[in-house]
Amino acid sequence: MTIPRTDEADPYGITYRQDSRSDSQADERLLSSAECERIEQSIQRYAGGEHIHVRITTWWQGELRWARNRVWLAGDRRDIQVAITGIGGTAFTNQADDVSLQAAVRAIGYVRTWEPDRIIPELTVGPPRFDTPSPIIWSDATYRVTAAERGKLAQRLTERADAEHLLSAGYLQLRAGEVYVSASSVSDARYDRYTEAQCSMTVRHPEGTGSGWAGQSGFDWSVIDSGLLATHALERCTASLNPVRIEPGRYTAILEPQAVCDMMNALMIGRNFSRIIHERFSQGPFLLGNDKVFGIMRTKLGLQVADARISIWHDPADPELGVLPEAGLEPITWIDRGVLTAMNHGPESGNMEGYRTMYALPDLNDNETELWRPAFRMSGGRTTLDEMIATTTRGLLVTRFSNLDLLDRDSVLLTGTTRDGLWLIEQGKISKAVNNFRITESPLFILNQIEQLGVPVPVFRPGRSPYDGSLTPAIVPPLKINDFSFTATVDAI
Amino acid sequence: MYSRRTFLATGVTTLAGVAGGRRLSATQSNAFLNVRSEPSVQIADDRVREMAMQALDAARRHGAVYSDVRLSYTRDRNYRTSLVGYSVNQKESLTVGIRSLVNGYWGFAAGGVWSAAEMERLAAESVQQAQVNALGKPRPMELAPVAPTPGGHWTMPIHQDPFDVHPIEVLDFLRSLILYTARSGGSVSEVRSLFHLHELALATSEGHYSTQRLYRSSGELKITKNLAGYSYISRPLPTLTPAGMGWELFRNPAIYQDIESCIEVLSRDIVMPVRPVDVGRYPIVLDAAGVASLASATIGAATEIDRVLGYEANATGTSYLRSPAEMLGTFQIGSPALNVVANRNESRGAATVQWDAEGVAPREYDLVRNGRLTDFLTMREGAGWLKETYGQHNMPCRSNGCAHTPVAMEAPLVHTPNLVITPAASPASEDDLFASMGDGVAFTAPKFNMDFQQSGGLAYGAAYRIKKGLPVERIGNSGILFRTLEIWKGVTALGGTASSRRFGMSVVKGEPEQTGYHSVTAVPVLIAEATVVNVKQKA
């Protein structure tokens, strides 16, 4: 795998680390590999040689939510989920006793027997791989944070807002989990552990005249600087007070990394990179058109779809992008110097050059192409935010977006609003806080309207449900975009 | 410790029985799929109550001044079928959550094991979670009073338990809908049905104990109409939104009528000319589905007291309603014709319960009367925040019963209850509203993209130009760009009772996220003027 480079001097700075996981991880919060194997053995025994996939995950989560400068709810939760996928469906249970497991296996077998020739294949869960090292996504620092430590931290964070007569609301979550997956027998199984930490906070003026936000997520709690987050949220709140109303229109926009990630999240989902969806439904951002000679739909593989400075890839060996093997086993580059270089297909299609098999997690609602959300790194440059501002005659600095919804699947046109800090830049300086805007814009547009790129940094991108496994981090740069479309003013602050 | 085996080991000895453990019988052929032969958890079993009391006792011993415990058993069975294939996914989960209060601070602990030992551990953990925060700044808190129910069981009245219906029958019936649609002139590629059972036991340290068996069913059936193989339009069947119903949501003669109505509309629409939108201000008729979504987003979410007071600020956002003391009873949300009633006890409502997640028996109450804000959506703590305000308005300080937990694994939050928009006294239909409007624009089941304070948004979806009271052409890519107060104040007429329809919807909120379901019964409305925009037009 060649790490794609931009024309600018090495913006990546990747340093590969040694696996720092502790040998003494096992404790009562998570199932051990041996315990998972025993469960798996029971399942395989009940399955009687039937071809099934088994996924066993246990998780623990320490949580703390605060609002109005006081802790609101502190919690400790843990659970197990066993997912047994066979031909025709998946059975999930959070009970690992023999009776429950037997019932689940029977359920899957029963589904198969009704009308075997009509079953929609559900075996999309990736077979475990043994030739890839375990990812570095475990942190003792995350696992060992106690409830008392979380409480003290929240007090420190809220005291600062209290002192400035502002209101802080936030959320702190520490998660640990294990995922055991097997294809057909215990000997074909792998077991991985992960941790996840996230901290985010919103500081608002009591009169609702200003709002600032900051957040960070990753597998290692020790690299999350909650004090710095509090500082940023406070500063942004203060700087955003009493916004001035300006007119909507096209502005040069400096998107902070979080805002870039918010837009990119809408692009980096399964259906946008799914060859099958593009071809079957004649729909998708990377659909080229109908090839009448061969009678097939063509995709844009190999064509320029973004600025040549843009590459988007994932390397499981990248220490900042560690994910569970089920979320990405092999290095992949989706966009290389602006050229679309990879798309996904279902496992039933076999290996095809330029396409990468997408293995979806078992999902109760079969929404695999919507839920697939990979970790990714996006190339950047060396321009600092200050330099971007200094070189802007008139533009807007965007902290992040809120409630982005898809308006058009083919162009990935989105609508939503800016949130928690929007500033007008005039003559190279931030001149004032301005009202929020509704935006109507596409991530594909911004990838083709880049004026300047900053240094990529990890952004706030926490994992979803703890049953889904580890987080899928993203590392993106701030971008200076020409002609970003701000379509209407928004009253919300 | 994670398996029901633990429960078997400890529960048998300490509770003299197995409340949640399955016993496999010789006749049991399929536990997930044939509930008649599957002994599922008996939520009303006294041994479940004993376990709950054990948890409360442990929390009290560890220092909780108040605690509540929820034990929930959930089952899901989701079908997906076309004429050529099918899949069935199933899920069961057994969870317990204990919430404890110490010096105004909440602690919460939850897990997936029902056993005596686990009740003790979770109780201690929840108290400890509260205690470590209680060492800090004081947090005065008052829970609104509630009359506890010392024991009660309620089963949501449904016609047929969807888990009692043989899956092959379900699949056959779903396929019959595909065939029926085809025979009626439409097409459907796939039908989905989702069935959810939630059995919940709740005990509080104030003496409440109740058990409930709740159902929710929903589905997806998108009908497509083709024209000469080139163009097509499609729309989902609106009747399959989430509802507090069983198999009868599908197995209902009305579904055929709904399919035919849907095809009729599609047949009319596909030959209708499509024109680009002329951006401007127009009179608008919003259909009942659109009004339901608008009410959910701008009245439901916005009146949730935790949003109003900033408790959701770091998650889904706050509200345009900022000051309960100044706004209650006086703030004009909409036109005087607008009346919104909240409840959690209507038949077939997606949020319907007998007791909320804190043991409050919900009642019907006005949320908006004559266009004015008359209450907020509260649970016990939130009502306590409003004690002074309620007192100033001679209103009792009591919870409105909006506490909800999707499963016991999650802590209760305020969720939107069922909402009912009071129909007009006149028997106006949607067509009558078109006639009243004369010329204007009509929107059908638009989607809403709101800002993070529900103060405004963009509604977009199928739209028609109405001329002399009749739809004459479709308008492409159109939407309504609106401010919440302006659009509700612009309502000049509402449909009558016959035009009233119920729609189920889901809302995600909280950290960690949780999903709540509710119904909104709404009528179409005529809005004097609104801004119609091209939603795909950039600045």
Side-chain angles (χ1 to χ4, degrees):
Chain A
M1 162 72 176
T2 304
I3 302 286
R5 307 269 176 195
T6 67
D7 292 332
E8 302 185 42
D10 185 15
Y12 308 104
I14 297 172
T15 309
Y16 290 86
R17 292 183 295 189
Q18 296 296 311
D19 186 341
S20 60
R21 287 169 302 164
S22 161
D23 292 333
S24 57
Q25 290 168 4
D27 77 3
E28 74 284 359
R29 279 182 268 179
L30 305 176
L31 287 181
S32 67
S33 176
E35 287 170 317
C36 289
E37 275 180 25
R38 279 201 294 277
I39 294 171
E40 155 84 350
Q41 279 166 348
S42 295
I43 293 168
Q44 296 294 355
R45 194 168 62 247
Y46 299 138
E50 194 68 41
H51 183 47
I52 55 170
H53 290 169
V54 176
R55 183 176 186 270
I56 303 167
T57 179
T58 46
W59 57 269
W60 157 82
Q61 226 168 248
E63 305 155 343
L64 190 142
R65 194 178 189 200
W66 71 89
R68 298 179 74 89
N69 300 341
R70 297 288 187 279
V71 171
W72 189 18
L73 180 77
D76 179 294
R77 304 188 296 150
R78 54 192 75 178
D79 200 9
I80 179 176
Q81 185 175 77
V82 179
I84 304 169
T85 303
I87 303 294
T90 300
F92 303 82
T93 178
N94 79 334
Q95 302 299 307
D97 61 292
D98 290 342
V99 176
S100 300
L101 297 176
Q102 198 170 358
V105 170
R106 257 201 320 273
I108 292 305
Y110 193 42
V111 169
R112 180 180 50 76
T113 61
W114 297 334
E115 294 172 315
D117 55 330
R118 284 187 162 183
I119 290 167
I120 299 172
E122 288 297 314
L123 279 172
T124 53
V125 185
R129 289 277 300 268
F130 309 100
D131 55 351
T132 55
S134 290
I136 307 169
I137 49 176
W138 178 271
S139 157
D140 283 347
T142 305
Y143 195 57
R144 289 176 182 157
V145 179
T146 64
E149 288 167 336
R150 294 196 294 271
K152 282 178 189 162
L153 176 66
Q155 280 178 34
R156 284 202 301 275
L157 298 177
T158 55
E159 275 166 4
R160 297 177 58 184
D162 235 354
E164 298 193 32
H165 306 292
L166 299 170
L167 295 176
S168 171
Y171 182 58
L172 167 62
Q173 177 188 292
L174 302 155
R175 179 190 295 175
E178 61 75 22
V179 175
Y180 174 97
V181 286
S182 89
S184 55
S185 69
V186 174
S187 61
D188 286 340
R190 71 172 295 157
Y191 174 87
D192 294 283
R193 287 170 178 264
Y194 68 93
T195 53
E196 178 187 326
Q198 61 163 296
C199 182
S200 64
M201 68 197 78
T202 300
V203 176
R204 293 180 58 78
H205 190 274
E207 300 297 321
T209 52
S211 181
W213 175 91
Q216 203 178 345
S217 59
F219 77 90
D220 187 357
W221 171 247
S222 64
V223 302
I224 293 179
D225 189 341
S226 55
L228 189 62
L229 293 178
T231 302
H232 284 164
L234 281 162
E235 286 175 353
R236 284 173 175 154
C237 174
T238 309
S240 71
L241 286 174
N242 303 313
V244 174
R245 188 163 289 260
I246 63 169
E247 291 304 307
R250 292 209 178 204
Y251 288 85
T252 296
I254 297 173
L255 306 182
E256 291 198 33
Q258 191 63 46
V260 173
C261 184
D262 291 340
M263 295 290 288
M264 292 302 297
N265 280 342
L267 182 66
M268 301 300 293
I269 62 168
R271 68 174 301 131
N272 287 342
F273 285 89
S274 168
R275 177 184 66 84
I276 290 170
I277 285 183
H278 281 65
E279 295 186 355
R280 188 178 297 165
F281 301 104
S282 303
Q283 194 180 63
F286 300 127
L287 181 72
L288 186 59
N290 188 15
D291 186 325
K292 289 179 181 170
V293 175
F294 291 101
I296 57 170
M297 302 301 291
R298 291 279 188 202
T299 67
K300 294 180 184 172
L301 262 182
L303 299 182
Q304 192 87 25
V305 296
D307 186 294
R309 290 170 290 178
I310 290 297
S311 295
I312 302 172
W313 74 99
H314 176 235
D315 183 349
D318 185 338
E320 292 185 298
L321 290 181
V323 293
L324 285 168
E326 60 187 3
L329 282 165
E330 298 155 352
I332 183 169
T333 301
W334 289 282
I335 294 177
D336 186 2
R337 298 178 180 87
V339 175
L340 181 68
T341 49
M343 291 187 77
N344 303 316
H345 62 78
E348 72 278 9
S349 303
N351 293 323
M352 298 170 70
E353 193 175 350
Y355 293 101
R356 181 205 204 196
T357 302
M358 180 182 75
Y359 295 115
L361 298 180
D363 168 45
L364 186 65
N365 296 321
D366 287 336
N367 287 328
E368 61 272 10
T369 61
E370 298 291 345
L371 292 175
W372 182 84
R373 192 177 74 153
F376 69 93
R377 182 184 281 270
M378 192 169 152
S379 57
R382 288 200 170 278
T383 313
T384 65
L385 263 181
D386 288 342
E387 287 165 348
M388 289 183 189
I389 293 167
T391 53
T392 302
T393 307
R394 184 175 166 82
L396 292 167
L397 174 62
V398 182
T399 303
R400 66 168 180 152
F401 298 108
S402 179
N403 297 349
L404 289 176
D405 280 341
L406 191 65
L407 289 172
D408 182 67
R409 287 201 186 282
D410 290 339
S411 60
V412 200
L413 188 67
L414 306 172
T415 190
T417 67
T418 59
R419 181 172 173 180
D420 297 320
L422 183 69
W423 293 274
L424 182 67
I425 301 162
E426 292 176 300
Q427 305 305 328
K429 289 181 180 169
I430 291 176
S431 60
K432 60 193 74 150
V434 295
N435 54 274
N436 282 306
F437 280 116
R438 173 164 295 282
I439 62 131
T440 306
E441 198 50 275
S442 163
L444 286 171
F445 176 85
I446 71 168
L447 293 182
N448 284 283
Q449 287 292 324
I450 297 169
E451 188 178 322
Q452 291 172 321
L453 301 94
V455 177
V457 295
V459 292
F460 182 71
R461 201 180 193 229
R464 291 175 172 167
S465 158
Y467 300 102
D468 292 341
S470 70
L471 53 73
T472 50
I475 297 173
V476 299
L479 296 175
K480 184 170 165 183
I481 308 294
N482 292 320
D483 293 331
F484 195 97
S485 172
F486 297 90
T487 40
T489 56
V490 167
D491 294 336
I493 297 173
Chain B
M1 68 166 292
Y2 284 98
S3 79
R4 203 178 293 176
R5 283 190 296 261
T6 313
F7 184 87
L8 291 166
T10 56
V12 169
T13 52
T14 58
L15 298 174
V18 185
R22 282 203 181 95
R23 296 189 189 91
L24 195 63
S25 70
T27 57
Q28 186 177 353
S29 60
N30 193 291
F32 270 69
L33 293 175
N34 189 346
V35 80
R36 289 190 189 286
S37 59
E38 176 195 356
S40 63
V41 173
Q42 299 300 310
I43 201 74
D45 193 305
D46 282 344
R47 288 165 294 187
V48 176
R49 180 182 186 137
E50 281 180 50
M51 204 154 36
M53 295 306 155
Q54 203 169 30
L56 291 178
D57 183 55
R60 183 189 53 74
R61 278 190 279 107
H62 287 286
V65 295
Y66 167 86
S67 58
D68 47 32
V69 55
R70 290 165 205 79
L71 295 114
S72 72
Y73 172 70
T74 59
R75 293 183 71 183
D76 293 89
R77 191 180 293 163
N78 295 353
Y79 299 85
R80 171 188 173 199
T81 186
S82 65
L83 288 180
V84 295
Y86 68 88
S87 69
V88 185
N89 290 342
Q90 302 146 82
K91 182 179 181 181
E92 72 158 9
S93 126
L94 203 65
T95 55
V96 51
I98 301 175
R99 188 176 64 150
S100 294
L101 187 63
V102 178
N103 291 346
Y105 285 86
W106 290 111
F108 182 70
V113 177
W114 285 15
S115 73
E118 188 69 351
M119 296 303 132
E120 183 72 27
R121 184 191 75 78
L122 291 174
E125 182 70 54
S126 71
V127 173
Q128 198 220 348
Q129 293 283 334
Q131 282 173 335
V132 295
N133 293 299
L135 296 174
K137 295 168 281 194
R139 184 172 186 266
M141 203 244 281
E142 187 173 341
L143 294 176
V146 58
T149 301
H153 176 76
W154 185 72
T155 297
M156 177 181 275
I158 57 168
H159 289 292
Q160 191 166 13
D161 187 330
F163 297 94
D164 276 354
V165 182
H166 197 286
I168 291 179
E169 185 185 336
V170 174
L171 288 168
D172 276 350
F173 182 77
L174 296 179
R175 284 186 199 137
S176 79
L177 296 179
I178 298 175
L179 293 171
Y180 186 84
T181 307
R183 276 203 298 272
S184 304
S187 65
V188 175
S189 59
E190 186 175 279
V191 188
R192 292 183 183 215
S193 65
L194 302 89
F195 302 109
H196 177 74
L197 164 70
H198 186 192
E199 293 193 319
L200 176 69
L202 166 69
T204 75
S205 58
E206 294 175 347
H208 176 94
Y209 184 75
S210 63
T211 56
Q212 300 183 81
R213 186 177 173 90
L214 309 169
Y215 292 88
R216 186 179 67 243
S217 299
S218 62
E220 293 172 23
L221 192 157
K222 196 174 189 181
I223 300 176
T224 300
K225 183 78 184 170
N226 292 285
L227 181 66
Y230 291 106
S231 63
Y232 69 93
I233 53 174
S234 56
R235 62 188 304 177
L237 201 64
T239 42
L240 296 181
T241 57
M245 298 173 72
W247 175 227
E248 68 273 13
L249 178 71
F250 290 84
R251 203 76 167 93
N252 176 350
I255 199 167
Y256 300 110
Q257 197 179 333
D258 292 331
I259 289 172
E260 286 172 11
S261 303
C262 195
I263 292 171
E264 196 178 320
V265 172
L266 289 170
S267 303
R268 179 200 69 186
D269 288 359
I270 198 156
V271 294
M272 205 179 263
V274 184
R275 301 272 185 258
V277 59
D278 284 331
V279 174
R281 301 275 292 172
Y282 296 93
I284 298 284
V285 169
L286 198 56
D287 75 341
V291 173
S293 298
L294 179 66
S296 174
T298 62
I299 295 176
T303 53
E304 291 170 356
I305 193 64
D306 52 351
R307 286 190 71 116
V308 172
L309 295 180
Y311 284 77
E312 270 283 299
N314 193 56
T316 52
T318 53
S319 171
Y320 65 90
L321 302 168
R322 295 198 188 98
S323 173
E326 293 168 15
M327 291 176 160
L328 188 67
T330 58
F331 188 74
Q332 199 76 29
I333 285 181
S335 86
L338 180 66
N339 292 284
V340 183
V341 176
N343 77 73
R344 293 191 72 183
N345 51 18
E346 71 180 57
S347 171
R348 302 178 177 185
T352 295
V353 293
Q354 184 73 9
W355 299 277
D356 81 346
E358 294 184 316
V360 175
R363 62 196 168 79
E364 191 174 282
Y365 55 97
D366 290 336
L367 200 55
V368 177
R369 192 188 312 134
N370 300 328
R372 278 200 190 129
L373 175 71
T374 51
D375 212 336
F376 289 92
L377 304 180
T378 59
M379 45 195 276
R380 295 183 66 194
E381 183 181 3
W385 299 333
L386 294 176
K387 184 178 182 183
E388 200 174 312
T389 301
Y390 279 148
Q392 288 164 357
H393 290 78
N394 296 319
M395 294 169 70
C397 177
R398 61 183 174 188
S399 164
N400 280 330
C402 298
H404 172 71
T405 56
V407 289
M409 181 62 76
E410 299 173 44
L413 278 181
V414 172
H415 281 272
T416 302
N418 302 316
L419 303 175
V420 178
I421 296 180
T422 309
S426 69
S429 66
E430 191 172 317
D431 288 344
D432 294 332
L433 296 180
F434 288 173
S436 301
M437 179 169 67
D439 294 354
V441 179
F443 280 85
T444 301
K447 293 179 182 173
F448 284 78
N449 179 276
M450 300 299 300
D451 67 41
F452 48 90
Q453 289 179 335
Q454 320 300 317
S455 62
L458 178 71
Y460 54 99
Y464 307 88
R465 188 178 312 285
I466 307 295
K467 219 165 184 179
K468 295 179 181 173
L470 293 171
V472 292
E473 56 192 33
R474 287 191 285 144
I475 309 174
N477 299 329
S478 57
I480 311 170
L481 187 65
F482 65 92
R483 288 193 167 90
T484 295
L485 300 181
E486 283 178 8
I487 200 165
W488 282 121
K489 286 177 181 173
V491 171
T492 56
L494 293 91
T497 306
S499 67
S500 182
R501 299 194 72 169
R502 179 173 46 224
F503 303 91
M505 39 202 75
S506 62
V507 176
V508 174
K509 71 178 294 190
E511 289 177 306
E513 282 185 352
Q514 51 178 251
T515 304
Y517 290 83
H518 63 278
S519 297
V520 183
T521 306
V523 292
V525 299
L526 171 60
I527 297 159
E529 200 175 58
T531 303
V532 175
V533 297
N534 181 342
V535 293
K536 294 184 182 176
Q537 179 67 53
K538 293 191 186 179

